[in-house]
């Protein structure tokens, strides 16, 4: 399998090269040259289906036995035997729980595999890299858990000192692994992000430390997320039985993986894109417009995004893989803050997509209602998806088609919102119950590039 850039200029790469590259050199995102087709079969066994679904994307970059071992190892630590269990919410709606990994959010599903794939590819090349990243609290721990104990990776994560919750900080700082380094920066999340950007922009430093990122545009993350769409179908009637999915959406990676599953032959009549108040995507699917607005903070912070980077992959396909056309559209969007999809292209979306948006008040009511109705406690991100699924059903669409809403975080990850909605603070799962007793490891540094670079250079095993 070879990978092409959505902007059409960067070199065509093999899987392993696209994995390490992340972003293409022309600013585009990598997508496979063609879509492998799913065979009949599949028994709802996560590991078996995972290896089958991903093998054509990985190609010769990893031999089959090593790949199967890597997949098994990635999901061994999940606290559910089915890896992604299904829960029946009634009225033809199922919840697919994606939060049974080490950090209680769906990003673990892809990142656990990504860390191992990185390590394997670096081993093959006899290379090492230093992963650096910034977090406002929600995603740092997933990256750390992905990289911990990997031979060829060191990871340094910056977070704003005293501005992340204690659970969020402890999920990062209690990881006891020699290649994990936490920095509390005297500053804001934006300061942390600026420091990371400045390190990448410092060409000499970047090369010397071989800086890399595990960001959400990496093709391997999408690939790993395709698996649970297929597994859900297998468990609900088979790969050829139609299922619609409702997906709480931020960067458009998760729901785009559902689209990839569809391109590979899964019968998905509809993907319902669920947004919070930051609803650029709702407008895009309604009228084809792309218009930025201020990011509004909500109870579902991982969806507080205005520009969803993975949308570019869908635009590439809609435009018949015309890289220069995608580049021109995004350039217009970037310089003018607004752009419109050609009406013909918008029409070609047909009935395959729908977009809905819900505000915090609706989210809190949904969490309370669902706890009353089924006893299931939803986190605020998942609630946005459940609201969209129910609204879609109630509007009379896709009658008779089973609906699956993706549950992207464990409720205990967002205890304040749950307590506000239900009056009860959700407890951490058993395996994290001693989180507050574990020793922390972190270094506090000033908001100063020289100090942070010196720290990274001292801790990294590269160079
Ligand atoms: C990242 C995240 C999302 C958004 O997923 P995208 O792939 O960025 O669309 C939704 N919910 C939670 C809990 C997340 O962490």
């Amino acid at each position: 399998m070879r990978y092409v850039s959505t902007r059409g200029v960067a070199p065509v790469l093999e899987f392993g090269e696209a994995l390490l590259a992340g972003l293409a050199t022309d600013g585009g995102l990598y997508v496979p040259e063609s879509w492998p087709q799913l065979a009949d079969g599949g028994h709802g066994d996560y590991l078996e289906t995972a290896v089958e679904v991903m093998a054509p994307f990985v190609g010769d970059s990893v031999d089959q036995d090593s790949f199967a071992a890597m997949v098994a190892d990635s999901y061994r630590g999940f606290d559910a035997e089915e890896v992604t269990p299904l829960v029946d919410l009634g009225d033809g709606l199922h919840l697919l729980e994606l939060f049974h990994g080490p950090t209680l959010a769906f990003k673990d599903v892809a990142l656990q595999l990504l860390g191992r794939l990185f390590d394997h590819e670096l081993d093959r090349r006899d290379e090492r890299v230093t992963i650096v990243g910034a977090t406002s609290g929600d995603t740092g721990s997933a990256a750390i858990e992905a990289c911990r104990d990997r031979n060829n990776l060191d990871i340094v994560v910056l977070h704003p000192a005293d501005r992340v919750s204690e659970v969020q900080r402890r999920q990062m700082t209690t990881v006891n692994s020699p290649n994990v380094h936490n920095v509390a920066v005297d500053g804001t999340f934006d300061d942390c992000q600026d420091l990371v950007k400045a390190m990448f922009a410092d060409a000499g430093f970047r090369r010397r430390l071989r800086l890399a990122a595990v960001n959400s545009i990496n093709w391997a993350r999408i690939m790993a997320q395709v698996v649970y769409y297929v597994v859900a179908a297998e468990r609900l009637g088979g790969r050829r039985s139609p299922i619609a999915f409702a997906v709480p959406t931020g960067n458009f990676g998760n729901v785009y993986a559902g689209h990839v599953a569809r391109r590979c032959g899964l019968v998905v009549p509809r993907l319902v894109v669920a947004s919070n108040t930051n609803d650029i995507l709702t407008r895009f699917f309604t009228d084809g417009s792309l218009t930025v607005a201020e990011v509004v903070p909500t109870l579902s912070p991982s969806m507080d995004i205005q520009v969803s980077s993975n949308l570019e992959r869908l635009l590439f396909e809609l435009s018949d893989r015309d890289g220069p056309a995608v580049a021109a559209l995004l350039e217009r969007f970037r310089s003018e803050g607004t752009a419109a999809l050609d009406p013909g292209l918008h029409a070609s979306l047909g009935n395959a997509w729908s977009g809905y948006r819900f505000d915090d008040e609706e989210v809190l009511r949904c969490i309370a209602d669902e706890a009353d109705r089924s006893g299931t406690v939803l986190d605020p991100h998942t609630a946005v998806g459940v609201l969209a699924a129910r609204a879609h059903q109630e509007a009379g669409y896709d009658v008779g088609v089973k609906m699956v809403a993706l549950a992207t975080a464990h409720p205990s990850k967002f205890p304040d919102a749950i307590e506000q909605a239900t009056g009860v603070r959700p407890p951490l799962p058993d395996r994290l119950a001693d989180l507050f007793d574990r020793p922390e490891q972190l270094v506090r540094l000033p908001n100063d590039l020289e100090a942070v670079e010196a720290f990274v250079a001292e801790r990294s095993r590269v160079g």
Side-chain angles (χ1 to χ4, degrees):
M1 180 67 77
R2 304 196 314 159
Y3 290 83
V4 297
S5 163
T6 51
R7 307 262 170 115
V9 177
V12 174
L13 301 182
E14 301 291 330
F15 176 81
E17 296 167 322
L19 172 77
L20 295 188
L23 199 68
T25 50
D26 56 7
L29 277 58
Y30 278 105
V31 290
E33 213 166 36
S34 62
W35 301 114
Q37 293 303 300
L38 277 170
D40 287 325
H43 310 97
D45 179 275
Y46 198 94
L47 300 184
E48 189 183 298
T49 295
V51 173
E52 182 196 333
V53 166
M54 292 190 281
F57 292 117
V58 172
D60 302 330
S61 292
V62 189
D63 72 85
Q64 284 214 347
D65 288 347
S66 309
F67 186 59
M70 223 183 281
V71 168
D73 197 38
S74 297
Y75 302 113
R76 188 166 291 134
F78 279 51
D79 74 350
E81 200 174 342
E82 310 96 306
V83 182
T84 58
L86 274 166
V87 174
D88 191 348
L89 290 184
D91 306 326
L93 181 60
H94 284 80
L95 205 57
L96 183 65
E97 295 185 345
L98 305 178
F99 53 67
H100 290 273
T103 77
L104 312 178
F106 95 99
K107 292 192 174 64
D108 289 330
V109 179
L111 281 169
Q112 283 296 306
L113 182 64
L114 189 76
R116 287 165 173 84
L117 283 167
F118 252 76
D119 209 31
H120 182 275
E121 182 65 21
L122 289 167
D123 226 21
R124 216 163 68 121
R125 296 161 178 243
D126 198 16
E127 288 175 14
R128 271 192 177 143
V129 297
T130 310
I131 307 276
V132 293
T135 184
S136 57
D138 288 323
T139 55
S141 56
I144 286 172
E145 287 289 351
C147 297
R148 68 178 297 170
D149 307 325
R150 306 264 79 85
N151 281 335
N152 304 304
L153 305 174
D154 293 293
I155 180 165
V156 181
V157 173
L158 314 185
H159 71 262
D162 307 323
R163 288 173 199 248
V164 301
S165 79
E166 187 167 8
V167 170
Q168 287 172 337
R169 189 190 70 239
R170 285 182 164 274
Q171 279 196 299
M172 299 190 282
T173 59
T174 62
V175 172
N176 180 17
S177 174
N179 71 333
V180 169
H181 309 284
N182 280 286
V183 180
V185 174
D186 284 320
T188 62
F189 170 55
D190 286 337
D191 294 330
C192 295
Q193 248 182 339
D194 288 345
L195 285 166
V196 169
K197 278 188 199 150
M199 282 190 271
F200 273 99
D202 179 346
F205 184 75
R206 177 181 184 160
R207 209 173 323 112
R208 189 155 59 84
L209 275 296
R210 300 199 48 96
L211 294 191
V214 288
N215 46 31
S216 79
I217 50 90
N218 200 298
W219 166 259
R221 282 179 69 168
I222 304 288
M223 171 188 85
Q225 292 170 182
V226 175
V227 174
Y228 47 73
Y229 287 89
V230 180
V231 169
E234 290 172 3
R235 293 178 184 165
L236 285 174
R239 286 184 183 174
R240 307 297 175 209
S241 75
I243 302 191
F245 291 90
V247 187
T249 298
N251 236 334
F252 203 70
N254 200 359
V255 72
Y256 175 75
H259 179 66
V260 172
R262 171 153 79 189
R263 296 310 309 259
C264 295
L266 201 71
V267 187
V268 183
R270 182 96 59 169
L271 288 164
V272 175
V273 179
S275 301
N276 63 24
T277 315
N278 299 290
D279 61 354
I280 184 171
L281 288 170
T282 316
R283 287 175 278 134
F284 173 78
F285 285 107
T286 306
D287 64 13
S289 68
L290 279 174
T291 305
V292 279
E294 279 290 290
V295 175
V296 181
T298 71
L299 294 174
S300 41
S302 301
M303 294 157 65
D304 292 344
I305 286 171
Q306 276 295 337
V307 183
S308 305
S309 21
N310 283 295
L311 185 66
E312 177 162 349
R313 291 187 157 112
L314 180 63
L315 296 174
F316 182 60
E317 244 188 284
L318 281 176
S319 63
D320 242 346
R321 303 206 150 207
D322 182 344
V326 172
L329 179 72
L330 291 169
E331 181 49 42
R332 216 173 329 128
F333 177 57
R334 217 172 50 95
S335 62
E336 292 165 29
T338 181
L341 199 58
D342 174 87
L345 295 188
H346 181 249
S348 69
L349 289 167
N351 293 328
W353 299 85
S354 292
Y356 293 86
R357 58 92 81 181
F358 299 94
D359 62 25
D360 281 349
E361 215 174 294
E362 293 166 298
V363 163
L364 289 170
R365 216 176 314 128
C366 171
I367 295 170
D369 286 351
E370 203 59 54
D372 275 348
R373 182 186 351 207
S374 66
T376 303
V377 180
L378 308 174
D379 101 284
H381 303 77
T382 305
V384 175
V386 167
L387 280 163
R390 295 236 190 257
H392 190 73
Q393 287 178 315
E394 277 156 25
Y397 292 114
D398 304 319
V399 175
V401 174
K402 283 183 187 141
M403 184 100 189
V404 172
L406 303 195
T408 52
H410 189 277
S412 67
K413 194 148 183 161
F414 300 93
D416 296 336
I418 308 302
E419 190 170 6
Q420 199 182 336
T422 66
V424 182
R425 212 170 167 78
L428 285 167
D430 288 347
R431 68 203 151 88
L432 285 177
D434 68 342
L435 188 65
F436 288 85
D437 305 323
R438 296 179 196 167
E440 292 190 79
Q441 284 183 23
L442 77 165
V443 171
R444 189 159 178 151
L445 292 177
N447 175 18
D448 175 68
L449 182 62
E450 219 174 293
V452 173
E453 285 191 346
F455 176 80
V456 174
E458 179 209 315
R459 294 297 174 99
S460 172
R461 290 170 292 173
V462 175

